[in-house]
């Protein structure tokens, strides 16, 4: 099992460009989520999905879109990148069922810089 | 290099000593708590979890203590090793599909 795989690992964009961050998991996890990590602020939830075809907003959803067409993939889209979106982005997944017995598993992140 | 963690509180310990990392959580309705370890350039890695109906849970070299009265969580690492050097995050889970993360503590282990 590869676990949670994120691509690319690094990316530099210009303001206004669009981009999709990819996330795939091979554990057949129904729950998937996206976080951003900024200095001194811990991880903050952007969007999450409890299964294919279902997505919901987290704490900081503005400027990001998601879709969930398959169980395996949960891409995060930046439609018009802004410098405030410079961050490290993490994707995570877990099994469905009792959330108190299913810690999330994280990928190794995408480091995104917006110039 | 990694820019995350520039302003984190830091705990420095000598190899072989015990480490205690503390965390205050915010939501009194949270009923599940998780500790994660994050090494440079990596994603958070699960260490140990605890449900709110417990006060203490032990793993291999790690113990988590939960004090719901003061909304406090701690992670104890026994016989700290250089490989334990990392940033440690606590996360609380209210009755919803969302985790709330703390800001993290950097653990530095000296020989």
């Amino acid at each position: 099992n590869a676990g949670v795989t994120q691509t690319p690992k690094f990316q530099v964009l210009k303001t206004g460009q669009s981009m999709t961050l990819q996330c795939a998991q091979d554990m057949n996890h129904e729950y998937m989520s996206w976080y951003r990590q900024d200095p001194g602020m811990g991880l903050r939830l952007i969007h999450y999905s409890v299964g294919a075809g279902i997505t919901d907003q987290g704490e900081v959803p503005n400027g990001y879109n998601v879709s969930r067409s398959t169980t395996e993939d949960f891409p995060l889209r930046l439609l018009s990148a802004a410098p405030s979106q410079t961050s490290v982005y993490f994707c995570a997944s877990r099994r469905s069922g009792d959330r108190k017995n299913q810690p999330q598993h994280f990928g190794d992140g995408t480091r995104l810089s917006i110039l | 290099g990694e820019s995350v963690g520039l302003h984190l509180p830091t705990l420095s310990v000598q190899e072989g000593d015990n480490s205690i990392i503390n965390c205050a959580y915010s939501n009194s309705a949270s009923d599940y708590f998780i500790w994660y370890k994050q090494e440079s350039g990596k994603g958070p890695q699960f260490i140990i979890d605890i449900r709110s109906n417990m006060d203490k849970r032990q793993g291999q070299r790690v113990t988590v203590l939960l004090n719901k009265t003061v909304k406090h969580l701690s992670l104890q690492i026994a016989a700290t090793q250089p490989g334990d050097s990392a940033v440690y995050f606590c996360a609380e889970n209210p009755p919803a599909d969302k985790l709330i993360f703390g800001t993290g503590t950097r653990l530095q282990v000296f020989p």
Side-chain angles (χ1 to χ4, degrees):
Chain A
N1 283 351
V4 178
T5 302
Q6 292 185 238
T7 56
K9 294 189 184 302
F10 301 94
Q11 185 70 49
V12 178
L13 294 177
K14 294 182 179 178
T15 297
Q17 286 186 312
S18 62
M19 167 166 196
T20 299
L21 280 61
Q22 302 291 344
C23 175
Q25 51 89 13
D26 60 358
M27 299 173 283
N28 202 31
H29 287 174
E30 294 190 355
Y31 180 94
M32 296 185 74
S33 56
W34 276 102
Y35 293 83
R36 60 178 288 172
Q37 186 175 37
D38 302 297
M41 299 188 74
L43 283 82
R44 292 182 292 166
L45 182 65
I46 304 172
H47 285 285
Y48 65 100
S49 168
V50 298
I54 306 170
T55 63
D56 209 342
Q57 295 182 347
E59 180 185 355
V60 288
N62 292 341
Y64 307 95
N65 283 348
V66 292
S67 60
R68 185 90 181 274
S69 57
T70 67
T71 299
E72 294 78 17
D73 301 296
F74 190 42
L76 179 72
R77 297 183 187 86
L78 285 70
L79 297 180
S80 179
S84 61
Q85 293 177 304
T86 293
S87 189
V88 183
Y89 291 85
F90 289 99
C91 179
S93 73
R94 66 168 175 82
R95 291 183 182 277
S96 61
D98 183 6
R99 62 176 170 79
K100 291 183 281 185
N101 198 34
Q102 304 293 348
Q104 293 188 49
H105 300 268
F106 285 81
D108 283 337
T110 293
R111 285 138 186 89
L112 183 62
S113 294
I114 315 295
L115 305 179
Chain B
E2 186 63 68
S3 63
V4 173
L6 283 177
H7 307 292
L8 291 175
T10 299
L11 173 66
S12 298
V13 301
Q14 194 162 19
E15 182 178 358
D17 287 352
N18 297 333
S19 303
I20 300 176
I21 300 171
N22 296 304
C23 175
Y25 64 93
S26 59
N27 191 331
S28 57
S30 292
D31 56 4
Y32 179 52
F33 305 87
I34 309 168
W35 278 100
Y36 285 94
K37 172 186 180 182
Q38 186 177 27
E39 296 175 282
S40 181
K42 297 290 187 181
Q45 177 187 2
F46 170 81
I47 302 174
I48 192 168
D49 58 1
I50 187 168
R51 300 188 183 203
S52 60
N53 61 352
M54 302 172 68
D55 297 324
K56 179 179 179 179
R57 191 172 188 209
Q58 288 183 296
Q60 188 176 13
R61 280 201 310 119
V62 295
T63 300
V64 55
L65 298 178
L66 175 62
N67 185 331
K68 296 180 288 294
T69 302
V70 295
K71 293 191 285 187
H72 183 268
L73 200 65
S74 69
L75 176 71
Q76 300 178 0
I77 305 173
T80 312
Q81 302 169 359
D84 295 325
S85 294
V87 177
Y88 290 81
F89 291 95
C90 67
E92 60 179 300
N93 190 190
D97 278 314
K98 303 177 182 180
L99 282 181
I100 303 170
F101 281 82
T103 54
T105 296
R106 181 180 303 281
L107 176 65
Q108 293 181 331
V109 182
F110 294 96

